[in-house]
Amino acid sequence: MTAFRSVAVIGAGAWGTALATMAARAGRNVTLWARNAEHAARIQSSRDNPRLPGVRLAPDIVVTSDLAAASRAEMLLIATPAQHLRGAVNMLASYLTKPVPIIACAKGIEHGTHKFMTDVIAEAAPHAQPAILSGPSFADDVARGLPTAVTLAARDDALASSLVQALGSPTFRPYHSTDIRGVEIGGAAKNVLAIAVGIAVGRKLGASAQAALTTRGFAELTRLGRALGARSETLTGLSGLGDLILTCASPQSRNFALGLALGRGEQPPAGKLAEGEFTAPVLIELAASQGIEMPVSEAVASILGGRSTIDAAISGLLTRPFKAEE
Ligand SMILES: NC(=O)C1=CN([C@@H]2O[C@H](COP(=O)(O)OP(=O)(O)OC[C@H]3O[C@@H](n4cnc5c(N)ncnc54)[C@H](OP(=O)(O)O)[C@@H]3O)[C@@H](O)[C@H]2O)C=CC1
Ligand SMILES: O=C(CO)COP(=O)(O)O
């Protein structure tokens, strides 16, 4: 398998900027693509991105809005919001003339189609070798070089392994896998569950409730995962349980922070992307289509959709019939 020398990161938000920094630290030649030319030029000259304040970009990272130039990299990482991933890959596809790994770094499920990120990539870019990178990793931590471990999955184990070799460093440890679907389910569902746990914490329901809700959330994530063919070691691994633990326990998470504000009856933080808000309705549609119960996610979707108050949703969860633990 070829050694990947160059990497382009598509999407210059917090995560794209952190990923570019991570790839540079791993020794790759890195291009960071921003859709806005002015934005790209400003980051290129200031070496600072307001979407990830306080992080200085390494001098050799090239920031550009030239998609043709970015598309020439030997490996592409897509770090747009999940609902914009198809649009970004559609634009990219017209420049791709040979097989190239395209790694989805967004966490979500596409509205309307119920498709996961690697399926969207495969549809939008026939030359792509789709892969997914996901796990407990706050952009700020990764950019600062704090120790982080994630899962990187591709259909072909040799490809997954060589992508790991290209991106890994002593502070960023990707573990390779071929369970693409398992990785995608964990990343998408944990954001919705983190909103639920944030709400419980905001309502001051206590540390016991926080642990119970996180655990029952994991039970429903696992049910859906099994139904869709995910492996249990993936669901209990970094991209599943690992990311759930991180996101359900830290106000640093935008999803948790959204729930926290809702639980406290406050305005949610403005201008912060909380993917769980967009994933919740499509996650429960997908679960329903598989005959899978996801009561915690359903409660989140009902609250966000204005179909339930927070108190009614909490009461609904607590008065469900007693049952065997599974
Ligand atoms: N932040 C984090 O800690 C982590 C985030 N993720 C995931 O990464 C994804 C992106 O999150 P994050 O970077 O934090 O979000 P941000 O809100 O910080 O940034 C999103 C970026 O995507 C760009 N963008 C939006 N729409 C398009 C489009 N159609 N084409 C190209 N670029 C577009 C925006 O551009 P513009 O600046 O012009 O608006 C912006 O730069 C999410 O799915 C998130 O779950 C995963 C792990 C960690
Ligand atoms: O995915 C993340 C950590 O793994 C980032 O979480 P938030 O999107 O909730 O901030």
Side-chain angles (χ1 to χ4, degrees):
M1 195 61 65
T2 45
F4 298 100
R5 282 158 309 190
S6 54
V7 172
V9 181
I10 306 300
W15 192 219
T17 305
L19 290 167
T21 301
M22 169 280 283
R25 209 175 274 134
R28 303 307 106 203
N29 296 323
V30 181
T31 303
L32 175 60
W33 180 84
R35 60 177 169 172
N36 179 303
E38 224 173 278
H39 192 185
R42 192 158 40 78
I43 304 171
Q44 171 68 13
S45 65
S46 68
R47 314 309 294 166
D48 171 71
N49 184 349
R51 289 207 181 263
L52 192 60
V55 168
R56 209 159 170 75
L57 279 187
D60 39 0
I61 295 175
V62 174
V63 189
T64 181
S65 60
D66 180 348
L67 194 56
S71 71
R72 289 194 279 275
E74 291 168 342
M75 173 200 306
L76 297 155
L77 274 63
I78 314 290
T80 64
Q83 303 307 324
H84 296 287
L85 182 133
R86 186 184 290 273
V89 178
N90 271 337
M91 287 193 295
L92 198 53
S94 54
Y95 298 105
L96 304 178
T97 51
K98 56 180 193 304
V100 61
I102 302 190
I103 308 178
C105 301
K107 296 177 179 174
I109 306 169
E110 192 177 50
H111 278 212
T113 64
H114 296 178
K115 296 223 156 122
F116 286 94
M117 299 294 100
T118 58
D119 296 328
V120 174
I121 291 174
E123 258 182 30
H127 284 298
Q129 296 169 304
I132 175 102
L133 183 154
S134 192
S137 48
F138 286 131
D140 203 59
D141 295 350
V142 170
R144 285 172 201 282
L146 299 178
T148 315
V150 299
T151 311
L152 201 168
R155 192 188 302 164
D156 175 28
D157 193 44
L159 174 64
S161 203
S162 82
L163 294 172
V164 160
Q165 290 300 327
L167 295 177
S169 69
T171 55
F172 188 78
R173 293 183 58 75
Y175 286 76
H176 61 91
S177 167
T178 53
D179 185 8
I180 290 181
R181 186 61 83 240
V183 174
E184 291 179 309
I185 290 166
K190 67 87 190 177
N191 283 333
V192 178
L193 298 167
I195 296 176
V197 178
I199 291 174
V201 173
R203 270 291 199 265
K204 295 196 186 331
L205 298 188
S208 306
Q210 182 172 3
L213 200 51
T214 306
T215 308
R216 293 312 299 160
F218 181 62
E220 65 184 54
L221 180 161
T222 302
R223 269 198 299 275
L224 180 66
R226 287 210 186 105
L228 296 179
R231 284 184 220 138
S232 60
E233 66 266 30
T234 311
L235 300 171
T236 55
L238 291 160
S239 58
L241 184 59
D243 210 357
L244 185 73
I245 291 173
L246 177 76
T247 319
C248 289
S250 170
Q252 201 176 330
S253 153
R254 296 160 299 181
N255 288 284
F256 182 92
L258 168 63
L260 201 59
L262 293 173
R264 287 174 177 159
E266 295 169 357
Q267 275 300 108
K272 295 276 184 193
L273 173 72
E275 285 281 26
E277 194 178 347
F278 304 100
T279 305
V282 62
L283 179 67
I284 61 160
E285 281 168 22
L286 179 62
S289 75
Q290 299 291 318
I292 300 296
E293 267 198 314
M294 298 192 78
V296 177
S297 303
E298 275 167 31
V300 171
S302 297
I303 292 167
L304 295 175
R307 297 185 299 282
S308 173
T309 63
I310 288 176
D311 291 333
I314 292 171
S315 163
L317 284 173
L318 291 174
T319 54
R320 282 166 56 78
F322 298 119
K323 55 185 272 202
E325 192 173 31
E326 36 59 71

PDB file of all heavy atoms in Angstrom, residues 11-14 17 33-46 48-52 63-65:
ATOM      1  N   GLY A  11     -13.010  21.693   4.454  1.00  0.00           N
ATOM      2  CA  GLY A  11     -13.828  22.265   5.539  1.00  0.00           C
ATOM      3  C   GLY A  11     -12.912  22.807   6.614  1.00  0.00           C
ATOM      4  O   GLY A  11     -12.227  22.035   7.284  1.00  0.00           O
ATOM      5  N   ALA A  12     -12.904  24.141   6.739  1.00  0.00           N
ATOM      6  CA  ALA A  12     -11.952  24.772   7.668  1.00  0.00           C
ATOM      7  C   ALA A  12     -12.651  25.278   8.918  1.00  0.00           C
ATOM      8  O   ALA A  12     -12.442  26.407   9.353  1.00  0.00           O
ATOM      9  CB  ALA A  12     -11.203  25.897   6.950  1.00  0.00           C
ATOM     10  N   GLY A  13     -13.487  24.418   9.500  1.00  0.00           N
ATOM     11  CA  GLY A  13     -14.081  24.747  10.797  1.00  0.00           C
ATOM     12  C   GLY A  13     -13.140  24.291  11.897  1.00  0.00           C
ATOM     13  O   GLY A  13     -11.942  24.057  11.675  1.00  0.00           O
ATOM     14  N   ALA A  14     -13.703  24.142  13.112  1.00  0.00           N
ATOM     15  CA  ALA A  14     -12.881  23.735  14.250  1.00  0.00           C
ATOM     16  C   ALA A  14     -12.230  22.371  13.986  1.00  0.00           C
ATOM     17  O   ALA A  14     -11.015  22.192  14.181  1.00  0.00           O
ATOM     18  CB  ALA A  14     -13.747  23.670  15.514  1.00  0.00           C
ATOM     19  N   THR A  17      -9.638  22.272  11.039  1.00  0.00           N
ATOM     20  CA  THR A  17      -8.394  22.938  11.428  1.00  0.00           C
ATOM     21  C   THR A  17      -7.571  22.035  12.351  1.00  0.00           C
ATOM     22  O   THR A  17      -6.346  21.897  12.192  1.00  0.00           O
ATOM     23  CB  THR A  17      -8.733  24.278  12.124  1.00  0.00           C
ATOM     24  OG1 THR A  17      -9.557  25.033  11.232  1.00  0.00           O
ATOM     25  CG2 THR A  17      -7.501  25.072  12.475  1.00  0.00           C
ATOM     26  N   TRP A  33      -8.696  23.301   3.051  1.00  0.00           N
ATOM     27  CA  TRP A  33      -9.557  24.011   2.100  1.00  0.00           C
ATOM     28  C   TRP A  33     -10.740  24.658   2.816  1.00  0.00           C
ATOM     29  O   TRP A  33     -11.475  23.998   3.550  1.00  0.00           O
ATOM     30  CB  TRP A  33     -10.079  23.036   1.038  1.00  0.00           C
ATOM     31  CG  TRP A  33     -10.978  23.695   0.032  1.00  0.00           C
ATOM     32  CD1 TRP A  33     -10.601  24.370  -1.090  1.00  0.00           C
ATOM     33  CD2 TRP A  33     -12.414  23.742   0.059  1.00  0.00           C
ATOM     34  NE1 TRP A  33     -11.709  24.849  -1.756  1.00  0.00           N
ATOM     35  CE2 TRP A  33     -12.842  24.471  -1.071  1.00  0.00           C
ATOM     36  CE3 TRP A  33     -13.382  23.255   0.926  1.00  0.00           C
ATOM     37  CZ2 TRP A  33     -14.170  24.715  -1.360  1.00  0.00           C
ATOM     38  CZ3 TRP A  33     -14.726  23.503   0.649  1.00  0.00           C
ATOM     39  CH2 TRP A  33     -15.100  24.215  -0.488  1.00  0.00           C
ATOM     40  N   ALA A  34     -10.899  25.978   2.596  1.00  0.00           N
ATOM     41  CA  ALA A  34     -12.057  26.706   3.114  1.00  0.00           C
ATOM     42  C   ALA A  34     -12.888  27.163   1.924  1.00  0.00           C
ATOM     43  O   ALA A  34     -12.335  27.576   0.899  1.00  0.00           O
ATOM     44  CB  ALA A  34     -11.592  27.909   3.924  1.00  0.00           C
ATOM     45  N   ARG A  35     -14.214  27.113   2.058  1.00  0.00           N
ATOM     46  CA  ARG A  35     -15.057  27.445   0.896  1.00  0.00           C
ATOM     47  C   ARG A  35     -15.043  28.938   0.575  1.00  0.00           C
ATOM     48  O   ARG A  35     -15.337  29.336  -0.548  1.00  0.00           O
ATOM     49  CB  ARG A  35     -16.490  26.980   1.136  1.00  0.00           C
ATOM     50  CG  ARG A  35     -17.158  27.613   2.338  1.00  0.00           C
ATOM     51  CD  ARG A  35     -18.595  27.156   2.470  1.00  0.00           C
ATOM     52  NE  ARG A  35     -19.157  27.558   3.757  1.00  0.00           N
ATOM     53  CZ  ARG A  35     -20.415  27.422   4.080  1.00  0.00           C
ATOM     54  NH1 ARG A  35     -21.247  26.882   3.223  1.00  0.00           N
ATOM     55  NH2 ARG A  35     -20.852  27.794   5.266  1.00  0.00           N
ATOM     56  N   ASN A  36     -14.701  29.731   1.568  1.00  0.00           N
ATOM     57  CA  ASN A  36     -14.728  31.181   1.390  1.00  0.00           C
ATOM     58  C   ASN A  36     -13.302  31.689   1.156  1.00  0.00           C
ATOM     59  O   ASN A  36     -12.425  31.525   2.009  1.00  0.00           O
ATOM     60  CB  ASN A  36     -15.349  31.777   2.668  1.00  0.00           C
ATOM     61  CG  ASN A  36     -15.428  33.278   2.628  1.00  0.00           C
ATOM     62  OD1 ASN A  36     -14.420  33.953   2.454  1.00  0.00           O
ATOM     63  ND2 ASN A  36     -16.629  33.798   2.797  1.00  0.00           N
ATOM     64  N   ALA A  37     -13.092  32.337  -0.019  1.00  0.00           N
ATOM     65  CA  ALA A  37     -11.736  32.734  -0.413  1.00  0.00           C
ATOM     66  C   ALA A  37     -11.121  33.734   0.574  1.00  0.00           C
ATOM     67  O   ALA A  37      -9.938  33.648   0.923  1.00  0.00           O
ATOM     68  CB  ALA A  37     -11.760  33.330  -1.817  1.00  0.00           C
ATOM     69  N   GLU A  38     -11.955  34.663   1.031  1.00  0.00           N
ATOM     70  CA  GLU A  38     -11.461  35.677   1.963  1.00  0.00           C
ATOM     71  C   GLU A  38     -11.032  35.032   3.292  1.00  0.00           C
ATOM     72  O   GLU A  38      -9.984  35.346   3.853  1.00  0.00           O
ATOM     73  CB  GLU A  38     -12.613  36.639   2.253  1.00  0.00           C
ATOM     74  CG  GLU A  38     -12.259  38.097   2.244  1.00  0.00           C
ATOM     75  CD  GLU A  38     -13.539  38.898   2.375  1.00  0.00           C
ATOM     76  OE1 GLU A  38     -14.204  39.093   1.325  1.00  0.00           O
ATOM     77  OE2 GLU A  38     -13.879  39.283   3.493  1.00  0.00           O
ATOM     78  N   HIS A  39     -11.881  34.096   3.732  1.00  0.00           N
ATOM     79  CA  HIS A  39     -11.629  33.354   4.963  1.00  0.00           C
ATOM     80  C   HIS A  39     -10.299  32.582   4.835  1.00  0.00           C
ATOM     81  O   HIS A  39      -9.439  32.628   5.714  1.00  0.00           O
ATOM     82  CB  HIS A  39     -12.825  32.394   5.156  1.00  0.00           C
ATOM     83  CG  HIS A  39     -12.894  31.750   6.500  1.00  0.00           C
ATOM     84  ND1 HIS A  39     -13.834  30.797   6.826  1.00  0.00           N
ATOM     85  CD2 HIS A  39     -12.131  31.882   7.594  1.00  0.00           C
ATOM     86  CE1 HIS A  39     -13.651  30.401   8.067  1.00  0.00           C
ATOM     87  NE2 HIS A  39     -12.631  31.033   8.553  1.00  0.00           N
ATOM     88  N   ALA A  40     -10.137  31.907   3.689  1.00  0.00           N
ATOM     89  CA  ALA A  40      -8.919  31.116   3.454  1.00  0.00           C
ATOM     90  C   ALA A  40      -7.687  32.026   3.485  1.00  0.00           C
ATOM     91  O   ALA A  40      -6.680  31.711   4.136  1.00  0.00           O
ATOM     92  CB  ALA A  40      -9.009  30.391   2.111  1.00  0.00           C
ATOM     93  N   ALA A  41      -7.784  33.173   2.799  1.00  0.00           N
ATOM     94  CA  ALA A  41      -6.628  34.074   2.719  1.00  0.00           C
ATOM     95  C   ALA A  41      -6.277  34.619   4.105  1.00  0.00           C
ATOM     96  O   ALA A  41      -5.102  34.749   4.466  1.00  0.00           O
ATOM     97  CB  ALA A  41      -6.934  35.215   1.755  1.00  0.00           C
ATOM     98  N   ARG A  42      -7.326  34.909   4.885  1.00  0.00           N
ATOM     99  CA  ARG A  42      -7.070  35.453   6.225  1.00  0.00           C
ATOM    100  C   ARG A  42      -6.380  34.422   7.116  1.00  0.00           C
ATOM    101  O   ARG A  42      -5.431  34.714   7.836  1.00  0.00           O
ATOM    102  CB  ARG A  42      -8.388  35.927   6.850  1.00  0.00           C
ATOM    103  CG  ARG A  42      -8.197  36.753   8.104  1.00  0.00           C
ATOM    104  CD  ARG A  42      -9.386  37.650   8.422  1.00  0.00           C
ATOM    105  NE  ARG A  42     -10.678  37.033   8.177  1.00  0.00           N
ATOM    106  CZ  ARG A  42     -11.238  36.145   8.996  1.00  0.00           C
ATOM    107  NH1 ARG A  42     -10.614  35.772  10.085  1.00  0.00           N
ATOM    108  NH2 ARG A  42     -12.417  35.644   8.710  1.00  0.00           N
ATOM    109  N   ILE A  43      -6.841  33.159   7.047  1.00  0.00           N
ATOM    110  CA  ILE A  43      -6.204  32.117   7.888  1.00  0.00           C
ATOM    111  C   ILE A  43      -4.765  31.871   7.400  1.00  0.00           C
ATOM    112  O   ILE A  43      -3.843  31.708   8.188  1.00  0.00           O
ATOM    113  CB  ILE A  43      -7.004  30.790   7.846  1.00  0.00           C
ATOM    114  CG1 ILE A  43      -8.457  30.998   8.252  1.00  0.00           C
ATOM    115  CG2 ILE A  43      -6.363  29.739   8.752  1.00  0.00           C
ATOM    116  CD1 ILE A  43      -9.351  29.788   8.031  1.00  0.00           C
ATOM    117  N   GLN A  44      -4.603  31.868   6.063  1.00  0.00           N
ATOM    118  CA  GLN A  44      -3.266  31.616   5.481  1.00  0.00           C
ATOM    119  C   GLN A  44      -2.270  32.673   5.969  1.00  0.00           C
ATOM    120  O   GLN A  44      -1.127  32.347   6.285  1.00  0.00           O
ATOM    121  CB  GLN A  44      -3.373  31.615   3.946  1.00  0.00           C
ATOM    122  CG  GLN A  44      -2.063  31.570   3.181  1.00  0.00           C
ATOM    123  CD  GLN A  44      -1.315  30.232   3.332  1.00  0.00           C
ATOM    124  OE1 GLN A  44      -1.835  29.236   3.809  1.00  0.00           O
ATOM    125  NE2 GLN A  44      -0.054  30.213   2.929  1.00  0.00           N
ATOM    126  N   SER A  45      -2.724  33.924   6.077  1.00  0.00           N
ATOM    127  CA  SER A  45      -1.742  34.934   6.497  1.00  0.00           C
ATOM    128  C   SER A  45      -1.645  35.060   8.021  1.00  0.00           C
ATOM    129  O   SER A  45      -0.563  35.204   8.553  1.00  0.00           O
ATOM    130  CB  SER A  45      -2.027  36.285   5.835  1.00  0.00           C
ATOM    131  OG  SER A  45      -3.255  36.758   6.293  1.00  0.00           O
ATOM    132  N   SER A  46      -2.781  34.926   8.732  1.00  0.00           N
ATOM    133  CA  SER A  46      -2.705  35.119  10.201  1.00  0.00           C
ATOM    134  C   SER A  46      -2.280  33.846  10.925  1.00  0.00           C
ATOM    135  O   SER A  46      -1.847  33.901  12.076  1.00  0.00           O
ATOM    136  CB  SER A  46      -4.060  35.564  10.745  1.00  0.00           C
ATOM    137  OG  SER A  46      -4.988  34.498  10.634  1.00  0.00           O
ATOM    138  N   ASP A  48      -4.241  31.734  12.033  1.00  0.00           N
ATOM    139  CA  ASP A  48      -5.163  31.597  13.158  1.00  0.00           C
ATOM    140  C   ASP A  48      -6.573  31.504  12.576  1.00  0.00           C
ATOM    141  O   ASP A  48      -6.910  32.239  11.664  1.00  0.00           O
ATOM    142  CB  ASP A  48      -4.987  32.875  14.014  1.00  0.00           C
ATOM    143  CG  ASP A  48      -6.026  32.965  15.102  1.00  0.00           C
ATOM    144  OD1 ASP A  48      -5.916  32.177  16.032  1.00  0.00           O
ATOM    145  OD2 ASP A  48      -6.935  33.817  14.989  1.00  0.00           O
ATOM    146  N   ASN A  49      -7.387  30.557  13.070  1.00  0.00           N
ATOM    147  CA  ASN A  49      -8.756  30.422  12.570  1.00  0.00           C
ATOM    148  C   ASN A  49      -9.733  30.751  13.688  1.00  0.00           C
ATOM    149  O   ASN A  49      -9.741  30.067  14.717  1.00  0.00           O
ATOM    150  CB  ASN A  49      -8.985  28.978  12.081  1.00  0.00           C
ATOM    151  CG  ASN A  49     -10.357  28.789  11.450  1.00  0.00           C
ATOM    152  OD1 ASN A  49     -11.215  29.650  11.551  1.00  0.00           O
ATOM    153  ND2 ASN A  49     -10.539  27.661  10.800  1.00  0.00           N
ATOM    154  N   PRO A  50     -10.559  31.791  13.506  1.00  0.00           N
ATOM    155  CA  PRO A  50     -11.506  32.163  14.562  1.00  0.00           C
ATOM    156  C   PRO A  50     -12.423  31.005  14.964  1.00  0.00           C
ATOM    157  O   PRO A  50     -12.975  31.008  16.051  1.00  0.00           O
ATOM    158  CB  PRO A  50     -12.328  33.293  13.934  1.00  0.00           C
ATOM    159  CG  PRO A  50     -11.568  33.738  12.731  1.00  0.00           C
ATOM    160  CD  PRO A  50     -10.637  32.646  12.315  1.00  0.00           C
ATOM    161  N   ARG A  51     -12.578  30.004  14.101  1.00  0.00           N
ATOM    162  CA  ARG A  51     -13.416  28.851  14.473  1.00  0.00           C
ATOM    163  C   ARG A  51     -12.705  27.925  15.472  1.00  0.00           C
ATOM    164  O   ARG A  51     -13.329  27.041  16.042  1.00  0.00           O
ATOM    165  CB  ARG A  51     -13.823  28.060  13.230  1.00  0.00           C
ATOM    166  CG  ARG A  51     -14.821  28.805  12.370  1.00  0.00           C
ATOM    167  CD  ARG A  51     -15.659  27.806  11.584  1.00  0.00           C
ATOM    168  NE  ARG A  51     -16.622  28.482  10.730  1.00  0.00           N
ATOM    169  CZ  ARG A  51     -17.889  28.676  11.062  1.00  0.00           C
ATOM    170  NH1 ARG A  51     -18.345  28.257  12.215  1.00  0.00           N
ATOM    171  NH2 ARG A  51     -18.699  29.285  10.229  1.00  0.00           N
ATOM    172  N   LEU A  52     -11.422  28.112  15.632  1.00  0.00           N
ATOM    173  CA  LEU A  52     -10.679  27.329  16.644  1.00  0.00           C
ATOM    174  C   LEU A  52      -9.682  28.285  17.298  1.00  0.00           C
ATOM    175  O   LEU A  52      -8.471  28.215  17.084  1.00  0.00           O
ATOM    176  CB  LEU A  52      -9.968  26.139  15.982  1.00  0.00           C
ATOM    177  CG  LEU A  52      -9.404  25.085  16.953  1.00  0.00           C
ATOM    178  CD1 LEU A  52     -10.494  24.462  17.803  1.00  0.00           C
ATOM    179  CD2 LEU A  52      -8.672  23.987  16.178  1.00  0.00           C
ATOM    180  N   VAL A  63      -3.348  26.996   3.332  1.00  0.00           N
ATOM    181  CA  VAL A  63      -4.796  27.218   3.435  1.00  0.00           C
ATOM    182  C   VAL A  63      -5.253  27.863   2.135  1.00  0.00           C
ATOM    183  O   VAL A  63      -4.695  28.871   1.701  1.00  0.00           O
ATOM    184  CB  VAL A  63      -5.144  28.128   4.633  1.00  0.00           C
ATOM    185  CG1 VAL A  63      -6.654  28.169   4.843  1.00  0.00           C
ATOM    186  CG2 VAL A  63      -4.439  27.647   5.902  1.00  0.00           C
ATOM    187  N   THR A  64      -6.259  27.261   1.505  1.00  0.00           N
ATOM    188  CA  THR A  64      -6.670  27.730   0.182  1.00  0.00           C
ATOM    189  C   THR A  64      -8.169  27.563  -0.015  1.00  0.00           C
ATOM    190  O   THR A  64      -8.811  26.785   0.696  1.00  0.00           O
ATOM    191  CB  THR A  64      -5.909  26.930  -0.916  1.00  0.00           C
ATOM    192  OG1 THR A  64      -6.293  27.413  -2.191  1.00  0.00           O
ATOM    193  CG2 THR A  64      -6.248  25.443  -0.863  1.00  0.00           C
ATOM    194  N   SER A  65      -8.710  28.271  -1.008  1.00  0.00           N
ATOM    195  CA  SER A  65     -10.102  28.020  -1.406  1.00  0.00           C
ATOM    196  C   SER A  65     -10.111  27.401  -2.813  1.00  0.00           C
ATOM    197  O   SER A  65     -11.151  27.330  -3.450  1.00  0.00           O
ATOM    198  CB  SER A  65     -10.898  29.333  -1.394  1.00  0.00           C
ATOM    199  OG  SER A  65     -10.307  30.238  -2.305  1.00  0.00           O
TER     200      SER A  65
END
